[in-house]
Amino acid sequence: MESRSRRAFLSGRRLSKSPWEAFCQRLRSAVAGTFFEFEMHEGIGSARLIPKQPGDVHHARTLCAEYGVVLALDGVPHAARLGDQHVLWLEPGRDMAGCQRLEPGSRKWFVQPGCLLGELEAAGLQQFADLPCHITVAAWLADRTLCDWEAGNTYKSGLEHASVLLADGVSVSLGPFGERNQKPLKGLRLQQMVPQLFQMAVHPDAQDCRQADLWPGRYRLDALLPVPGQTANLAHLLLGHGGDLGWVDWIVLDQDLAQPQVEPPYAQRYTSQRDAGTDLGTRAADLDARIKTLFDPADVFPYPGQDI
């Protein structure tokens, strides 16, 4: 039997591609990493990209925004309910798994998203000893259950800096932000975002949330409301971000500051239903929606609520 493509060639007609097929074709030809396309289910396509270099992720973001495809971090259980829209799963692999001291003898480590927690432990970061050794740094950072420090205590993560690719294609560097930090905000995007985040942090809703033992929201706005003696850190907004706010290119961990989230078996782990139905939960959800809109107004990344 003659194929459709052969008949089209012989007749001079070109078969039209669906938007999903066009997306996959363009992405496959643009990236150096490994691309897998899964079988479509009820007209919905999904695929996985294991990037070889940061530029692969940038290409993926551009095409996802153009074709309305959700860009979701693989390995995070919270982003799994995406069956009603096209999805590209990003899996940070071994080509983006660097882990090294910033300089000899330094207690600060430059870490890429594909590095495994077991590798961090082997390097001497013992705060990861009781966490799953097989998950990536990207999955750890995005997992709300593993980044559930007490309200105002996000400094215990040891996270100092993070480079993040946002939904509009802008890469921003997030880090400490306080009276001792004299470094100006780099780039128009940060100059617009940061004042709005601090305005949210002083809002009565955020102030009431800060009084809870455990932060009731999905996104750690309490990073800007630290306990006395600690400095606000914009990078801490990414702790437990669920893959909803952006793609993390790399982070810097301070080995001296990092502490385990809780003792095993993680008795106080995050649940999206922790404060559901309460006034505080409602106000926390409103803050979450505002943060999500600020970071990702076009919903390129998964929308909060898909992990309920």
Side-chain angles (χ1 to χ4, degrees), residues 7 10 47 67 80 92 99 117 126 131 155 174 176 186 190 231 243 248 256 268 291 299:
R7 289 198 306 271
L10 294 174
Y67 285 93
C99 171
L117 297 193
Q126 291 304 305
L131 296 180
Y155 74 94
L174 305 178
K186 186 177 180 180
L190 268 187
T231 300
V248 179
D256 285 338
Q268 295 180 320
I291 294 170
D299 290 336

Side-chain angles (χ1 to χ4, degrees), residues 99-110 123-125 160-161 252-257:
C99 171
Q100 62 185 54
R101 295 181 189 271
L102 287 184
E103 56 187 36
S106 173
R107 305 290 286 181
K108 297 181 181 180
W109 292 76
F110 171 85
L125 285 80
E160 182 161 328
H161 293 281
V252 172
L253 290 172
D254 189 321
Q255 189 172 352
D256 285 338
L257 290 179

Side-chain angles (χ1 to χ4, degrees), residues 75-272:
V76 181
H78 309 295
R81 295 190 179 184
L82 296 170
D84 60 347
Q85 52 200 133
H86 299 310
V87 181
L88 176 66
W89 297 98
L90 271 179
E91 177 185 338
R94 302 311 298 163
D95 288 306
M96 300 176 67
C99 171
Q100 62 185 54
R101 295 181 189 271
L102 287 184
E103 56 187 36
S106 173
R107 305 290 286 181
K108 297 181 181 180
W109 292 76
F110 171 85
V111 185
Q112 290 184 299
C115 179
L116 303 179
L117 297 193
E119 293 173 320
L120 290 181
E121 180 192 358
L125 285 80
Q126 291 304 305
Q127 65 270 28
F128 295 101
D130 293 317
L131 296 180
C133 64
H134 64 282
I135 69 172
T136 64
V137 164
W140 163 73
L141 187 65
D143 194 323
R144 298 176 181 124
T145 68
L146 299 180
C147 294
D148 198 19
W149 287 272
E150 300 90 341
N153 283 268
T154 55
Y155 74 94
K156 292 181 179 180
S157 64
L159 181 62
E160 182 161 328
H161 293 281
S163 177
V164 189
L165 175 65
L166 300 178
D168 58 3
V170 175
S171 290
V172 296
S173 181
L174 305 178
F177 193 90
E179 295 179 359
R180 292 177 293 178
N181 183 53
Q182 302 299 320
K183 190 175 180 180
L185 293 172
K186 186 177 180 180
L188 179 61
R189 188 74 160 90
L190 268 187
Q191 293 169 11
Q192 294 172 335
M193 289 176 62
V194 172
Q196 294 184 59
L197 287 167
F198 275 96
Q199 288 176 11
M200 291 184 210
V202 299
H203 190 278
D205 288 349
Q207 295 294 314
D208 287 343
C209 288
R210 176 63 178 79
Q211 300 308 309
D213 292 334
L214 296 172
W215 182 253
R218 297 173 183 275
Y219 308 129
R220 299 301 300 254
L221 189 61
D222 59 319
L224 308 185
L225 300 167
V227 295
Q230 297 298 323
T231 300
N233 190 316
L234 297 167
H236 295 177
L237 289 161
L238 299 170
L239 293 169
H241 67 106
D244 306 339
L245 301 181
W247 165 263
V248 179
D249 280 319
W250 52 261
I251 64 174
V252 172
L253 290 172
D254 189 321
Q255 189 172 352
D256 285 338
L257 290 179
Q259 300 177 32
Q261 178 249 317
V262 288
E263 293 299 322
Y266 315 115
Q268 295 180 320
R269 298 181 75 172
Y270 177 91
T271 167
S272 59

